Amino acid sequence: QERIQVGIDIESLQRALESLENENRRLMDSSPEDKVNVLKQREKLQALYGALNVLSLKKAELEETCLTLENEKANLKESEEMLNIAKIRMEEAQARCEKLKNEAERLAAEMNRNTAYLLAKDLAEGEPCPVCGSKTHPSPASRVSEEEMRMLGEMIKSVQKQSADAEKELRKSERDFFTATEKVKSLSIQIEQKEQQLKLKKEEYESFKQNLPEEIRGMEPEQAGSELRKSEEISRQKLEAVEAFEKKREDLNRETERVNRQLSEKRISENGIVSELKVIRDNLDQNVKMLENAKKEYNEKHQKYMEFLRSLNIESARAELERITDSDIKTNALQAEAERVQTLSREKEALVE
């Protein structure tokens, strides 16, 4: 039975092994792309990503430079407007100063004429003039009232104060104009430098694009990034398929090894059972011969034994055995009764005492 069960197990393992071999052949027929090629594709994608990152940085720098240039141009335009305002204010301050200067000169001349009247009012014919020394005074200055003189003095003070304020305003407007002029000059220089930088960055950006790998050459970073992400997804799926294939193949190999190992063990067991059966068969043949010899010897001895019983007038060994046994039983009963009587006798003697 053990050998039959081992045979059944071997057949079952052989079927399992055949099924595993068929599954392995189907797996190999549907094998995905070679893993080495997939890994090379992913390495190439990583290199493309690196180039794309550099391109994106260069574009970001270019856009930042453009934005800075636009901001500086806006600042320049605002500064030029402030310069025009400062120029207008300076010119207005200059005109006001000139006007107040003329007014001050006019009032000073008026004051001089009134001062001549003050000198002329005390002149006497034949007496020398305190100014020119002439003793004749053909046309003395006309008379001016003291009130007019006072008002004229106040007007002169007012104009002098306004002139001083106008001069301060003029100095301030000149400083503002100078500051605005310098700012416009500085911004103009900065813009010129930025325009040169922008030109160089554009040339560098275009040159770098031309040297990119063919797959993304001519693409803007956004478009190239989108295409690379699609390729990355395809590559990831391929790698997952390869890894799943390898895992399945490893599982099949392990299972095949396990079945082969069990099959080898069962065959070894089967060979052991076969060897053991051969030994048993050989022993059995030997035992049969020994039994036949023993039976022959027994028959011979049994015949002699029966002859011996007949010589003792004993019908059979069994009947004699039964007689002996019955006699032993009766003897044992009598011995037990004697022991009981002795026990009762001793008890009676004890009571008498």
Side-chain angles (χ1 to χ4, degrees):
Q1 289 180 350
E2 185 179 0
R3 183 185 178 186
I4 292 172
Q5 184 60 48
V6 170
I8 293 172
D9 292 342
I10 288 175
E11 289 179 359
S12 176
L13 289 170
Q14 286 176 337
R15 287 194 298 270
L17 184 61
E18 184 179 355
S19 176
L20 287 170
E21 290 173 351
N22 291 334
E23 187 174 357
N24 190 54
R25 280 193 294 271
R26 288 193 298 272
L27 182 66
M28 294 304 296
D29 291 339
S30 62
S31 62
E33 190 172 348
D34 183 63
K35 186 175 183 179
V36 175
N37 293 334
V38 174
L39 293 176
K40 286 182 179 179
Q41 291 173 8
R42 292 183 67 81
E43 289 178 0
K44 187 176 182 180
L45 280 173
Q46 292 303 316
L48 290 175
Y49 268 120
L52 179 60
N53 288 336
V54 176
L55 181 66
S56 299
L57 288 174
K58 289 186 177 296
K59 185 176 182 181
E61 291 176 358
L62 184 61
E63 290 175 346
E64 183 179 0
T65 303
C66 288
L67 182 60
T68 303
L69 182 59
E70 291 300 321
N71 291 336
E72 290 185 353
K73 284 183 177 180
N75 290 337
L76 176 61
K77 184 177 179 181
E78 182 179 352
S79 297
E80 287 175 343
E81 292 175 355
M82 295 299 296
L83 177 61
N84 290 333
I85 293 172
K87 182 179 180 182
I88 291 171
R89 288 178 179 174
M90 185 182 69
E91 290 174 349
E92 288 176 349
Q94 289 174 343
R96 190 162 182 267
C97 285
E98 186 66 25
K99 181 179 179 181
L100 289 172
K101 179 181 178 183
N102 293 334
E103 180 65 14
E105 289 176 353
R106 185 187 69 76
L107 291 175
E110 184 68 23
M111 178 61 76
N112 289 335
R113 286 194 297 272
N114 291 339
T115 301
Y117 163 73
L118 292 175
L119 294 172
K121 72 176 183 175
D122 295 328
L123 290 176
E125 194 64 32
E127 293 181 1
C129 174
V131 178
C132 63
S134 176
K135 293 182 178 182
T136 60
H137 313 292
S139 181
S142 59
R143 180 178 179 179
V144 179
S145 66
E146 293 182 0
E147 180 64 20
E148 289 177 343
M149 290 292 290
R150 186 186 65 76
M151 290 177 63
L152 185 60
E154 290 179 358
M155 290 174 65
I156 289 173
K157 289 180 181 180
S158 176
V159 169
Q160 288 175 345
K161 183 177 181 306
Q162 291 179 36
S163 294
D165 293 340
E167 284 293 332
K168 289 181 182 179
E169 184 65 26
L170 177 60
R171 300 287 84 79
K172 181 178 179 303
S173 64
E174 287 175 344
R175 287 195 300 273
D176 292 344
F177 177 76
F178 176 78
T179 301
T181 301
E182 292 302 314
K183 186 175 182 179
V184 168
K185 288 180 180 179
S186 176
L187 285 173
S188 297
I189 293 172
Q190 291 178 19
I191 288 172
E192 184 177 356
Q193 292 174 348
K194 287 291 182 184
E195 286 177 341
Q196 290 296 324
Q197 291 178 9
L198 181 61
K199 181 181 178 182
L200 292 175
K201 287 183 180 297
K202 282 182 178 179
E203 292 175 353
E204 183 180 355
Y205 177 74
E206 292 300 327
S207 174
F208 187 81
K209 280 180 66 177
Q210 293 303 316
N211 292 324
L212 285 173
E214 186 177 355
E215 290 82 353
I216 59 174
R217 188 183 305 159
M219 294 184 186
E220 289 301 317
E222 296 78 10
Q223 181 186 2
S226 177
E227 293 298 323
L228 287 181
R229 283 189 292 273
K230 291 178 184 177
S231 299
E232 170 70 18
E233 178 62 21
I234 294 172
S235 175
R236 184 187 64 79
Q237 293 175 359
K238 286 182 179 180
L239 184 60
E240 288 179 353
V242 169
E243 290 175 347
F245 169 80
E246 290 182 345
K247 184 178 183 305
K248 181 67 174 177
R249 189 176 180 184
E250 288 175 0
D251 292 343
L252 284 173
N253 288 337
R254 280 196 297 269
E255 184 64 14
T256 301
E257 289 175 1
R258 186 186 68 80
V259 172
N260 277 323
R261 186 169 56 253
Q262 289 184 347
L263 186 59
S264 297
E265 291 173 355
K266 291 295 181 181
R267 282 173 175 166
I268 291 172
S269 177
E270 183 185 39
N271 292 333
I273 292 172
V274 170
S275 298
E276 186 178 354
L277 286 174
K278 186 178 183 300
V279 171
I280 292 173
R281 188 178 292 110
D282 293 341
N283 291 336
L284 181 61
D285 294 340
Q286 186 177 359
N287 289 334
V288 167
K289 291 179 180 179
M290 291 174 65
L291 182 61
E292 290 175 350
N293 293 330
K295 186 177 180 181
K296 181 178 180 182
E297 184 179 355
Y298 169 78
N299 290 332
E300 292 174 352
K301 289 183 177 182
H302 180 71
Q303 185 177 0
K304 290 179 180 181
Y305 176 69
M306 292 304 293
E307 290 176 354
F308 173 75
L309 290 177
R310 282 194 295 272
S311 66
L312 295 175
N313 199 23
I314 297 174
E315 295 180 358
S316 67
R318 177 179 295 177
E320 184 64 19
L321 182 63
E322 289 177 354
R323 187 186 65 78
I324 294 171
T325 301
D326 185 59
S327 177
D328 289 340
I329 292 172
K330 289 178 180 180
T331 301
N332 291 334
L334 290 172
Q335 185 177 356
E337 182 65 21
E339 289 177 355
R340 187 179 68 80
V341 170
Q342 288 177 0
T343 301
L344 290 173
S345 177
R346 282 194 297 270
E347 289 177 354
K348 285 180 181 181
E349 289 176 358
L351 289 173
V352 171
E353 291 176 359

